[in-house]
Amino acid sequence: MAWESTNDKESGNIFSSFSAGLTAGAFVWGILVDIIGRQYAFNLTVLISSVFGLCLAAPNNYSGILVLTAFVGFGVGGNIPIDTTICLEFLPQNRRFLLALLSVFQPLGVVIACGIAYGFIPFYSCGNGSDGKPLLACNNVALGAPCCTKSSNFGWRYTLLCIGAICIVVFFLRFVVFNFQESPKFLLYRGRDDKAVEVLQKMANFNGRECSVTLESFEALSTGETSTTTPDTDTAMLGGGTTQLKQSWGRKFKIEMQRYKILFENFTMARLTLLVWITYAFDYWGFSIAGSFLPKILLLKNSAIDISVAQTYRNFVIIYICGVPGVMLGALMYGIPRIGRKWAMIGSSALMGISLFLFATVNTEASNIGLNAMEYFFQSMFNAVLYGWTPEVFPAPIRGTAAGVASFWGRFFSIISPLIAADLLVKSLNAPLYLAGGGVLMSTIALLLMPYKSLGAQSY
């Protein structure tokens, strides 16, 4: 059956606009986090997301929504790879499983957002016309015809205002109340040894411990230039500490560009880098389509079996709460030697793809809830392990860059996939599900080809 709606392509444009912002954010902030530091990059991305999120409730035209959506994505896209980089560099070795557990806040956030939407959208929206299709805006219909007025369609605006206000509160808490310190590892690579010692001492005091590390300790470790310059030239290496600070701006730029060479410095590293990029590209391809179109497909399927919009939003809360145990299972498997990371990612990505294929074949309330919950459970599990593992497997000097560029490729593919899925949705309700499932299974194949040692590696 063909599902024809003039809104399908507009929805695809909104998702692609958000993904474009995510792409730019992942690329720009992924590089800046290794240049200006973790602390400033994190706070700025939260501020950008919250301010433009609030503004997104204001525009009265479609173009304004697209522009503001892209700016929200710019902040969010940069924040995600920074989160795991910060946590990795502050966690002790025996607490690395918390990297995966960090992702539990994503499904919790989605549940909260769905709860807010459930409280506003069903009761402050225009609904459908006599033909069962959504009412069009009044400037798109003939004079006197039934239409959707602005005053009767404030539900989505109320929802965005609430979510934006929550983000502003989070920014205030992180910037003022719980102001975290800059990463000692970043400070060392930038030659700010005195500040690194200061941060370590604050961490020790917070945990009720004595800090034996002093500035003299670092000075004793770097008695010459051998550890901070290349053997064939006198150019400071990436992360060359105080030696790097003495270089000209031209040389500093060349040093920064060296981080890309590290990603391809030998066959194993090149293979790892390319397969990580492929994994992210098709993972984001799949879950971007799922996140963008599963709610709409579920709404259309539910309307065909006489389930109301309010019931559908209630079902969203049930579906997305399943992401919490998915993340917890990922965190549990994260620490299992040898098989944890590898089979957690391979198994969860494969089952995520399978659940999308199965959802295309059924249409009952129980199966719709169950298979959507299954998809989000394994999506949350897969991404929890993937996000935690990615910065961990790359060396510290290029950690933010590696995670950011991988996220960039994922975000780039997430621009394309909603546009293709929007065209397919006009022709077939289930076509986007097959498109998403196929993409996720490509990630599974890339993980199977990954260098085996890399899947369990832990960088410092």
Side-chain angles (χ1 to χ4, degrees), residues 16 18-27 277 280-282 284-285 288 404-419:
S16 290
F18 184 59
S19 294
L22 292 172
T23 304
F27 184 77
W277 288 356
Y280 268 76
F282 285 100
Y284 280 54
W285 173 284
S288 293
V405 173
S407 185
F408 162 78
W409 284 114
R411 299 303 184 188
F412 179 76
F413 273 66
S414 67
I415 297 174
I416 303 169
S417 58
L419 295 175

Side-chain angles (χ1 to χ4, degrees), residues 77-90:
N79 189 263
I80 293 174
I82 295 172
D83 281 348
T84 50
T85 299
I86 291 171
C87 288
L88 174 65
E89 295 183 352
F90 277 101

Side-chain angles (χ1 to χ4, degrees), residues 8 28 42 53 62 69 72 86 94 115 155 200 229 277 307 326 333 361 375 385 399 401 408 421 448:
D8 288 339
V28 172
F42 180 89
Y62 180 65
T69 298
V72 173
I86 291 171
N94 62 351
L200 290 172
T229 60
W277 288 356
I307 295 175
M333 293 193 66
T361 65
E375 186 278 334
V385 181
R399 185 167 288 150
T401 298
F408 162 78
L448 287 168

